Amino acid sequence: MRITGDGTTGGTPARSESGPFPLHGSAVGAARRQPDSTPQAAPGGAAPATGQIGYRGPTACAAAGITYRQLDYWARTGLVEPSVRAAYGSGTQRLYSFRDVVVLKIVKRFLDTGVALQNIRTAVQHLRGSGFADLERMTLMSDGATVYECTSPDQVVELLQGGQGIFGIAVGVVWRDVENALSQLHGERVDSGETVAGHNPADELAARRNRAV
C-alpha cells in the first residue's frame, strides 16, 4: 500500500495485488485487516484493563531513541498520541503502550531519512489499525515520496528492482528492539499505578493473544 500526504493515489502507480502495497490512507489498512483487540483506556478515565502495562514519557523516549521534546510535540500535534492514558489534568502523566513505542521508533527512523511528515502520519494510522501478527511480519519501504507495505521478501525485491533509492524498515526488527529495551526499563500497571521493573512486553502480548484465541 502507498501513502501520499493528500490521501490520493498519486505518484508511483499501485502494483499488483501480490506486490508491495502503496499506502494512501488509513481506510486502506482498515479494509485489509481488523485492528487488534488490545484494550485501551480513554483519556477521560474509562476503566483500564486489569494488569495492562503502560510506559511513561521518559521510558518511551529511552526505548524509542527520541527526545522528550519530540515526544511532547508529536503528542500535542496528534502524530503519535499515547493510547493508554493522555495527560488530561494536573498531576497526570501520559502512558504509552508497547505498540505506541514501536510506532514512535518507526516515526523517528522515517523522519531521519527525510520521509514527508504527511506520509508518516498516514503510515502511523495504518500501523495503529494493524494486528500484532501483521506488524511482526511487515516491512515498510519508502523512496521519500511514497511509503509501501511489504509482507514478503519478494515484494521487497520488487521494489528494489525498480531502480529507485529505497529505505526499508522491518517492523518486526523494531518490535524486538523495543521489546528488549523496555524489558530493561520500568513500566506501570495502569489499574493500580504499581511500578513494574524489568517487565518483558512479550509476556503481556502473549497473554493477550491467548485470550483472543
Side-chain angles (χ1 to χ4, degrees), residues 86-110:
Y88 56 85
S90 177
T92 63
Q93 295 195 37
R94 301 184 184 108
L95 280 183
Y96 291 81
S97 69
F98 171 78
R99 179 202 290 271
D100 295 336
V101 182
V102 172
V103 172
L104 288 168
K105 194 174 185 72
I106 290 172
V107 169
K108 172 67 161 52
R109 291 192 177 183
F110 271 138

PDB file of all heavy atoms in Angstrom, residues 86-110:
ATOM      1  N   ALA A  86      -3.792   9.704  28.281  1.00  0.00           N
ATOM      2  CA  ALA A  86      -3.307  11.029  27.910  1.00  0.00           C
ATOM      3  C   ALA A  86      -3.119  11.858  29.172  1.00  0.00           C
ATOM      4  O   ALA A  86      -3.679  11.552  30.224  1.00  0.00           O
ATOM      5  CB  ALA A  86      -4.311  11.707  26.977  1.00  0.00           C
ATOM      6  N   ALA A  87      -2.330  12.919  29.068  1.00  0.00           N
ATOM      7  CA  ALA A  87      -2.165  13.848  30.184  1.00  0.00           C
ATOM      8  C   ALA A  87      -3.340  14.813  30.146  1.00  0.00           C
ATOM      9  O   ALA A  87      -3.323  15.808  29.440  1.00  0.00           O
ATOM     10  CB  ALA A  87      -0.841  14.593  30.062  1.00  0.00           C
ATOM     11  N   TYR A  88      -4.391  14.496  30.908  1.00  0.00           N
ATOM     12  CA  TYR A  88      -5.643  15.262  30.812  1.00  0.00           C
ATOM     13  C   TYR A  88      -5.894  16.172  32.007  1.00  0.00           C
ATOM     14  O   TYR A  88      -6.920  16.820  32.082  1.00  0.00           O
ATOM     15  CB  TYR A  88      -6.822  14.308  30.643  1.00  0.00           C
ATOM     16  CG  TYR A  88      -6.946  13.265  31.729  1.00  0.00           C
ATOM     17  CD1 TYR A  88      -7.607  13.536  32.923  1.00  0.00           C
ATOM     18  CD2 TYR A  88      -6.407  11.998  31.558  1.00  0.00           C
ATOM     19  CE1 TYR A  88      -7.718  12.579  33.920  1.00  0.00           C
ATOM     20  CE2 TYR A  88      -6.521  11.031  32.551  1.00  0.00           C
ATOM     21  CZ  TYR A  88      -7.178  11.334  33.727  1.00  0.00           C
ATOM     22  OH  TYR A  88      -7.277  10.377  34.707  1.00  0.00           O
ATOM     23  N   GLY A  89      -4.962  16.245  32.926  1.00  0.00           N
ATOM     24  CA  GLY A  89      -5.159  17.131  34.077  1.00  0.00           C
ATOM     25  C   GLY A  89      -3.885  17.272  34.875  1.00  0.00           C
ATOM     26  O   GLY A  89      -2.878  16.602  34.615  1.00  0.00           O
ATOM     27  N   SER A  90      -3.928  18.153  35.859  1.00  0.00           N
ATOM     28  CA  SER A  90      -2.754  18.396  36.687  1.00  0.00           C
ATOM     29  C   SER A  90      -2.337  17.122  37.422  1.00  0.00           C
ATOM     30  O   SER A  90      -3.153  16.437  38.028  1.00  0.00           O
ATOM     31  CB  SER A  90      -3.062  19.507  37.705  1.00  0.00           C
ATOM     32  OG  SER A  90      -1.965  19.717  38.560  1.00  0.00           O
ATOM     33  N   GLY A  91      -1.062  16.805  37.346  1.00  0.00           N
ATOM     34  CA  GLY A  91      -0.533  15.653  38.059  1.00  0.00           C
ATOM     35  C   GLY A  91      -0.613  14.344  37.316  1.00  0.00           C
ATOM     36  O   GLY A  91      -0.073  13.339  37.778  1.00  0.00           O
ATOM     37  N   THR A  92      -1.294  14.311  36.163  1.00  0.00           N
ATOM     38  CA  THR A  92      -1.352  13.075  35.386  1.00  0.00           C
ATOM     39  C   THR A  92      -0.216  13.048  34.365  1.00  0.00           C
ATOM     40  O   THR A  92       0.247  14.092  33.912  1.00  0.00           O
ATOM     41  CB  THR A  92      -2.691  12.943  34.640  1.00  0.00           C
ATOM     42  OG1 THR A  92      -2.816  14.016  33.696  1.00  0.00           O
ATOM     43  CG2 THR A  92      -3.851  12.969  35.614  1.00  0.00           C
ATOM     44  N   GLN A  93       0.218  11.864  34.024  1.00  0.00           N
ATOM     45  CA  GLN A  93       1.272  11.701  33.038  1.00  0.00           C
ATOM     46  C   GLN A  93       0.800  10.790  31.919  1.00  0.00           C
ATOM     47  O   GLN A  93       0.017   9.869  32.137  1.00  0.00           O
ATOM     48  CB  GLN A  93       2.531  11.112  33.686  1.00  0.00           C
ATOM     49  CG  GLN A  93       3.169  12.032  34.713  1.00  0.00           C
ATOM     50  CD  GLN A  93       4.582  11.580  35.036  1.00  0.00           C
ATOM     51  OE1 GLN A  93       5.324  11.116  34.174  1.00  0.00           O
ATOM     52  NE2 GLN A  93       4.954  11.717  36.302  1.00  0.00           N
ATOM     53  N   ARG A  94       1.294  11.053  30.728  1.00  0.00           N
ATOM     54  CA  ARG A  94       0.967  10.197  29.596  1.00  0.00           C
ATOM     55  C   ARG A  94       1.512   8.795  29.834  1.00  0.00           C
ATOM     56  O   ARG A  94       2.585   8.611  30.370  1.00  0.00           O
ATOM     57  CB  ARG A  94       1.580  10.753  28.305  1.00  0.00           C
ATOM     58  CG  ARG A  94       1.142  12.163  27.925  1.00  0.00           C
ATOM     59  CD  ARG A  94       1.752  12.535  26.589  1.00  0.00           C
ATOM     60  NE  ARG A  94       1.442  13.914  26.217  1.00  0.00           N
ATOM     61  CZ  ARG A  94       2.320  14.903  26.222  1.00  0.00           C
ATOM     62  NH1 ARG A  94       3.573  14.656  26.584  1.00  0.00           N
ATOM     63  NH2 ARG A  94       1.968  16.112  25.870  1.00  0.00           N
ATOM     64  N   LEU A  95       0.730   7.822  29.403  1.00  0.00           N
ATOM     65  CA  LEU A  95       1.185   6.435  29.432  1.00  0.00           C
ATOM     66  C   LEU A  95       1.060   5.859  28.023  1.00  0.00           C
ATOM     67  O   LEU A  95      -0.011   5.916  27.412  1.00  0.00           O
ATOM     68  CB  LEU A  95       0.358   5.590  30.407  1.00  0.00           C
ATOM     69  CG  LEU A  95       0.700   5.688  31.901  1.00  0.00           C
ATOM     70  CD1 LEU A  95      -0.185   4.731  32.686  1.00  0.00           C
ATOM     71  CD2 LEU A  95       2.176   5.395  32.162  1.00  0.00           C
ATOM     72  N   TYR A  96       2.167   5.311  27.548  1.00  0.00           N
ATOM     73  CA  TYR A  96       2.228   4.751  26.200  1.00  0.00           C
ATOM     74  C   TYR A  96       2.193   3.231  26.250  1.00  0.00           C
ATOM     75  O   TYR A  96       2.756   2.616  27.159  1.00  0.00           O
ATOM     76  CB  TYR A  96       3.513   5.209  25.497  1.00  0.00           C
ATOM     77  CG  TYR A  96       3.520   6.682  25.162  1.00  0.00           C
ATOM     78  CD1 TYR A  96       3.847   7.640  26.121  1.00  0.00           C
ATOM     79  CD2 TYR A  96       3.182   7.118  23.885  1.00  0.00           C
ATOM     80  CE1 TYR A  96       3.847   8.990  25.815  1.00  0.00           C
ATOM     81  CE2 TYR A  96       3.177   8.476  23.572  1.00  0.00           C
ATOM     82  CZ  TYR A  96       3.509   9.403  24.538  1.00  0.00           C
ATOM     83  OH  TYR A  96       3.495  10.743  24.232  1.00  0.00           O
ATOM     84  N   SER A  97       1.525   2.629  25.283  1.00  0.00           N
ATOM     85  CA  SER A  97       1.512   1.177  25.175  1.00  0.00           C
ATOM     86  C   SER A  97       2.774   0.710  24.454  1.00  0.00           C
ATOM     87  O   SER A  97       3.517   1.507  23.873  1.00  0.00           O
ATOM     88  CB  SER A  97       0.285   0.711  24.387  1.00  0.00           C
ATOM     89  OG  SER A  97       0.406   1.086  23.014  1.00  0.00           O
ATOM     90  N   PHE A  98       2.992  -0.601  24.476  1.00  0.00           N
ATOM     91  CA  PHE A  98       4.123  -1.164  23.743  1.00  0.00           C
ATOM     92  C   PHE A  98       4.035  -0.798  22.265  1.00  0.00           C
ATOM     93  O   PHE A  98       5.017  -0.379  21.645  1.00  0.00           O
ATOM     94  CB  PHE A  98       4.140  -2.682  23.922  1.00  0.00           C
ATOM     95  CG  PHE A  98       5.132  -3.377  23.039  1.00  0.00           C
ATOM     96  CD1 PHE A  98       6.478  -3.377  23.354  1.00  0.00           C
ATOM     97  CD2 PHE A  98       4.714  -4.023  21.886  1.00  0.00           C
ATOM     98  CE1 PHE A  98       7.404  -4.013  22.533  1.00  0.00           C
ATOM     99  CE2 PHE A  98       5.630  -4.664  21.063  1.00  0.00           C
ATOM    100  CZ  PHE A  98       6.975  -4.653  21.390  1.00  0.00           C
ATOM    101  N   ARG A  99       2.847  -0.951  21.671  1.00  0.00           N
ATOM    102  CA  ARG A  99       2.672  -0.611  20.257  1.00  0.00           C
ATOM    103  C   ARG A  99       3.019   0.860  20.006  1.00  0.00           C
ATOM    104  O   ARG A  99       3.647   1.194  18.994  1.00  0.00           O
ATOM    105  CB  ARG A  99       1.231  -0.876  19.817  1.00  0.00           C
ATOM    106  CG  ARG A  99       0.977  -0.513  18.353  1.00  0.00           C
ATOM    107  CD  ARG A  99      -0.506  -0.273  18.119  1.00  0.00           C
ATOM    108  NE  ARG A  99      -1.261  -1.498  18.201  1.00  0.00           N
ATOM    109  CZ  ARG A  99      -1.482  -2.295  17.153  1.00  0.00           C
ATOM    110  NH1 ARG A  99      -0.990  -1.997  15.975  1.00  0.00           N
ATOM    111  NH2 ARG A  99      -2.189  -3.383  17.287  1.00  0.00           N
ATOM    112  N   ASP A 100       2.591   1.749  20.907  1.00  0.00           N
ATOM    113  CA  ASP A 100       2.905   3.168  20.760  1.00  0.00           C
ATOM    114  C   ASP A 100       4.407   3.397  20.639  1.00  0.00           C
ATOM    115  O   ASP A 100       4.869   4.193  19.820  1.00  0.00           O
ATOM    116  CB  ASP A 100       2.392   3.976  21.961  1.00  0.00           C
ATOM    117  CG  ASP A 100       0.882   3.979  22.091  1.00  0.00           C
ATOM    118  OD1 ASP A 100       0.196   3.765  21.072  1.00  0.00           O
ATOM    119  OD2 ASP A 100       0.402   4.209  23.219  1.00  0.00           O
ATOM    120  N   VAL A 101       5.169   2.703  21.492  1.00  0.00           N
ATOM    121  CA  VAL A 101       6.624   2.902  21.499  1.00  0.00           C
ATOM    122  C   VAL A 101       7.241   2.382  20.201  1.00  0.00           C
ATOM    123  O   VAL A 101       8.167   2.993  19.654  1.00  0.00           O
ATOM    124  CB  VAL A 101       7.267   2.223  22.727  1.00  0.00           C
ATOM    125  CG1 VAL A 101       8.773   2.487  22.749  1.00  0.00           C
ATOM    126  CG2 VAL A 101       6.627   2.724  24.019  1.00  0.00           C
ATOM    127  N   VAL A 102       6.719   1.277  19.687  1.00  0.00           N
ATOM    128  CA  VAL A 102       7.181   0.776  18.391  1.00  0.00           C
ATOM    129  C   VAL A 102       6.932   1.825  17.309  1.00  0.00           C
ATOM    130  O   VAL A 102       7.806   2.112  16.478  1.00  0.00           O
ATOM    131  CB  VAL A 102       6.472  -0.541  18.029  1.00  0.00           C
ATOM    132  CG1 VAL A 102       6.795  -0.960  16.591  1.00  0.00           C
ATOM    133  CG2 VAL A 102       6.888  -1.649  18.995  1.00  0.00           C
ATOM    134  N   VAL A 103       5.741   2.416  17.317  1.00  0.00           N
ATOM    135  CA  VAL A 103       5.398   3.435  16.329  1.00  0.00           C
ATOM    136  C   VAL A 103       6.309   4.658  16.484  1.00  0.00           C
ATOM    137  O   VAL A 103       6.763   5.243  15.487  1.00  0.00           O
ATOM    138  CB  VAL A 103       3.914   3.834  16.442  1.00  0.00           C
ATOM    139  CG1 VAL A 103       3.598   5.026  15.543  1.00  0.00           C
ATOM    140  CG2 VAL A 103       3.018   2.655  16.080  1.00  0.00           C
ATOM    141  N   LEU A 104       6.597   5.063  17.713  1.00  0.00           N
ATOM    142  CA  LEU A 104       7.492   6.192  17.948  1.00  0.00           C
ATOM    143  C   LEU A 104       8.863   5.950  17.306  1.00  0.00           C
ATOM    144  O   LEU A 104       9.437   6.844  16.673  1.00  0.00           O
ATOM    145  CB  LEU A 104       7.680   6.426  19.446  1.00  0.00           C
ATOM    146  CG  LEU A 104       6.495   7.021  20.208  1.00  0.00           C
ATOM    147  CD1 LEU A 104       6.729   6.916  21.718  1.00  0.00           C
ATOM    148  CD2 LEU A 104       6.272   8.482  19.815  1.00  0.00           C
ATOM    149  N   LYS A 105       9.380   4.756  17.456  1.00  0.00           N
ATOM    150  CA  LYS A 105      10.692   4.436  16.905  1.00  0.00           C
ATOM    151  C   LYS A 105      10.666   4.430  15.377  1.00  0.00           C
ATOM    152  O   LYS A 105      11.611   4.882  14.717  1.00  0.00           O
ATOM    153  CB  LYS A 105      11.163   3.079  17.438  1.00  0.00           C
ATOM    154  CG  LYS A 105      12.646   2.793  17.197  1.00  0.00           C
ATOM    155  CD  LYS A 105      13.065   1.505  17.889  1.00  0.00           C
ATOM    156  CE  LYS A 105      14.569   1.254  17.763  1.00  0.00           C
ATOM    157  NZ  LYS A 105      15.351   2.173  18.608  1.00  0.00           N
ATOM    158  N   ILE A 106       9.567   3.934  14.802  1.00  0.00           N
ATOM    159  CA  ILE A 106       9.430   3.934  13.343  1.00  0.00           C
ATOM    160  C   ILE A 106       9.338   5.352  12.807  1.00  0.00           C
ATOM    161  O   ILE A 106       9.954   5.695  11.788  1.00  0.00           O
ATOM    162  CB  ILE A 106       8.204   3.103  12.932  1.00  0.00           C
ATOM    163  CG1 ILE A 106       8.468   1.616  13.205  1.00  0.00           C
ATOM    164  CG2 ILE A 106       7.851   3.318  11.467  1.00  0.00           C
ATOM    165  CD1 ILE A 106       7.264   0.726  13.010  1.00  0.00           C
ATOM    166  N   VAL A 107       8.564   6.208  13.487  1.00  0.00           N
ATOM    167  CA  VAL A 107       8.458   7.616  13.075  1.00  0.00           C
ATOM    168  C   VAL A 107       9.825   8.274  13.087  1.00  0.00           C
ATOM    169  O   VAL A 107      10.193   9.005  12.151  1.00  0.00           O
ATOM    170  CB  VAL A 107       7.481   8.372  13.997  1.00  0.00           C
ATOM    171  CG1 VAL A 107       7.574   9.879  13.763  1.00  0.00           C
ATOM    172  CG2 VAL A 107       6.055   7.908  13.770  1.00  0.00           C
ATOM    173  N   LYS A 108      10.607   8.042  14.130  1.00  0.00           N
ATOM    174  CA  LYS A 108      11.947   8.611  14.222  1.00  0.00           C
ATOM    175  C   LYS A 108      12.804   8.194  13.028  1.00  0.00           C
ATOM    176  O   LYS A 108      13.498   9.009  12.419  1.00  0.00           O
ATOM    177  CB  LYS A 108      12.600   8.144  15.528  1.00  0.00           C
ATOM    178  CG  LYS A 108      14.076   8.496  15.692  1.00  0.00           C
ATOM    179  CD  LYS A 108      14.294   9.990  15.820  1.00  0.00           C
ATOM    180  CE  LYS A 108      15.644  10.338  16.432  1.00  0.00           C
ATOM    181  NZ  LYS A 108      16.797   9.696  15.783  1.00  0.00           N
ATOM    182  N   ARG A 109      12.743   6.929  12.660  1.00  0.00           N
ATOM    183  CA  ARG A 109      13.553   6.441  11.541  1.00  0.00           C
ATOM    184  C   ARG A 109      13.108   7.060  10.216  1.00  0.00           C
ATOM    185  O   ARG A 109      13.940   7.417   9.376  1.00  0.00           O
ATOM    186  CB  ARG A 109      13.492   4.913  11.477  1.00  0.00           C
ATOM    187  CG  ARG A 109      14.201   4.241  12.638  1.00  0.00           C
ATOM    188  CD  ARG A 109      14.391   2.763  12.412  1.00  0.00           C
ATOM    189  NE  ARG A 109      15.145   2.154  13.502  1.00  0.00           N
ATOM    190  CZ  ARG A 109      15.509   0.881  13.537  1.00  0.00           C
ATOM    191  NH1 ARG A 109      15.176   0.073  12.538  1.00  0.00           N
ATOM    192  NH2 ARG A 109      16.189   0.404  14.560  1.00  0.00           N
ATOM    193  N   PHE A 110      11.802   7.187  10.017  1.00  0.00           N
ATOM    194  CA  PHE A 110      11.312   7.810   8.796  1.00  0.00           C
ATOM    195  C   PHE A 110      11.729   9.285   8.715  1.00  0.00           C
ATOM    196  O   PHE A 110      12.160   9.766   7.667  1.00  0.00           O
ATOM    197  CB  PHE A 110       9.793   7.692   8.702  1.00  0.00           C
ATOM    198  CG  PHE A 110       9.316   6.435   8.025  1.00  0.00           C
ATOM    199  CD1 PHE A 110       8.235   5.726   8.531  1.00  0.00           C
ATOM    200  CD2 PHE A 110       9.926   5.961   6.881  1.00  0.00           C
ATOM    201  CE1 PHE A 110       7.784   4.571   7.908  1.00  0.00           C
ATOM    202  CE2 PHE A 110       9.489   4.803   6.244  1.00  0.00           C
ATOM    203  CZ  PHE A 110       8.406   4.108   6.767  1.00  0.00           C
TER     204      PHE A 110
END
